[in-house]
Each structure stands twice: as C-alpha cells, then as structure tokens.
Amino acid sequence: MSETLPANNDHHLRVIEDLYAGHHGWLYATLKKKLGNAMDAADLAQDTFTRILASQVTAIDQPRAYLSCVAKGILINWYQRKALERAYLEALAHLPAQEVPSPELRFLVLETLHEIDAMLDTLPAPVKRAFLLSQIGGLKYDDIAQQLNVSLITVKRYMKQAFVQCLMLVE
C-alpha cells in the first residue's frame, strides 16, 4: 500500500534525511559516551530522529544544537523512566518469592507507572505534591493542608484536579 506525500512533506523528509546522514554518527557517539552503552545510545538516537520526523520541521539552522536539545529531552525522560523502573524492581526485591508478579504483570505495572508518572508531570507542582502525599504517603487532607501550608479547601481542589487527570488517563 503506497501513499503519495504532499510536496511540503517532501521538503521535510529531505531536511530530515540530510540531518540524519550528516549528524547521526555524531549524535550516536555523543549519547554512547554519555550513557556508556551502545544499545541505549542507538535507541535514543533513533528516538531523537523519530521525534524530529514527527515535528514537521522544515529548516534547521544549527543542526547539532537542535539535535542536542531534542536528545536532551529524550534523555531526561529516559533517565526518569529508568529511575522509576529501578524503584519498582527494588520494591519487588523485598517481596516474598510467592508474591512476586509474573514478568507479564511486571511489564503491565511498569507501563502503568510510566503513564501515571507522565500524567503527574503535567500537574502543577503543589497539586502533584498533594496527590503524592495522599496516595503514596497516606496523609489525610488536613495533614496535607498543614504540610503544604494551604487551606483544606485548596487541598480538596488540588486532589480534584489530580483525580480528573487520572480519569482522563483511564479513558
């Protein structure tokens, strides 16, 4: 099945092709040096070009600066994802053997944790903190209000905002 691309898409694809041909090796080497791992560097380099391809950018004045900026955002997300995975695996290590979930269930839990983490990152900092204090810390709303130095009604508003975001994630 073949699809014809509009002319402006042709220009975009040529820009990305030139960028890839001219700078993929440099980006890969930079990421490999930073990560110390060829496989992760290759994955993140590809993710960088995939994101740029999706952006529909048609002109790049400073290719390496642009690649560095895009790759930095992807790298930050990657580090956050790895930290979340480590924390989850560390928690699993403390479970009795019979309670350790199957590899399939662990994968599903990790994917859900990543989605929740991404959703939480969209919330304003005080809303995120109130939500985490409630859901992870087990604090009551009165205690959260004291800790955040806000009114009880503000905490309720924060929690409503966080729960609405959670519901949007479920849909």
Side-chain angles (χ1 to χ4, degrees):
M1 180 170 171
S2 170
E3 228 176 85
T4 306
L5 297 171
N8 63 345
N9 231 1
D10 288 342
H11 177 67
H12 167 69
L13 291 174
R14 278 194 304 279
V15 167
I16 303 306
E17 182 181 344
D18 291 345
L19 182 68
Y20 189 90
H23 301 282
H24 177 269
W26 168 82
L27 179 62
Y28 168 75
T30 302
L31 290 169
K32 184 178 174 188
K33 181 178 176 185
K34 188 172 293 237
L35 298 171
N37 179 320
M39 287 178 47
D40 289 335
D43 286 346
L44 293 177
Q46 288 307 115
D47 289 349
T48 301
F49 283 99
T50 301
R51 179 155 313 158
I52 294 169
L53 185 61
S55 75
Q56 297 299 317
V57 68
T58 56
I60 300 170
D61 294 328
Q62 299 177 350
R64 289 191 176 180
Y66 183 69
L67 283 170
S68 293
C69 184
V70 174
K72 181 180 180 184
I74 290 171
L75 192 58
I76 289 169
N77 291 342
W78 184 82
Y79 279 128
Q80 289 173 335
R81 188 175 178 105
K82 291 295 181 186
L84 187 60
E85 289 174 10
R86 275 192 307 275
Y88 176 61
L89 293 174
E90 206 172 283
L92 288 180
H94 298 299
L95 290 176
Q98 66 272 16
E99 292 181 26
V100 173
S102 68
E104 295 83 9
L105 184 56
R106 280 197 308 255
F107 175 78
L108 289 173
V109 169
L110 270 175
E111 286 303 305
T112 303
L113 285 172
H114 292 304
E115 289 175 8
I116 292 168
D117 185 51
M119 180 276 302
L120 289 174
D121 281 344
T122 67
L123 296 173
V127 176
K128 180 178 179 177
R129 184 140 188 254
F131 183 77
L132 291 174
L133 287 170
S134 169
Q135 300 303 302
I136 307 275
L139 272 65
K140 301 213 179 297
Y141 289 6
D142 287 330
D143 299 327
I144 295 169
Q146 279 185 328
Q147 188 160 343
L148 298 181
N149 198 27
V150 297
S151 67
L152 179 60
I153 195 76
T154 299
V155 171
K156 289 179 181 180
R157 197 174 322 118
Y158 288 169
M159 294 303 294
K160 179 182 176 186
Q161 187 178 352
F163 283 126
V164 165
Q165 281 294 105
C166 287
L167 286 173
M168 289 173 43
L169 178 68
V170 172
E171 295 174 352

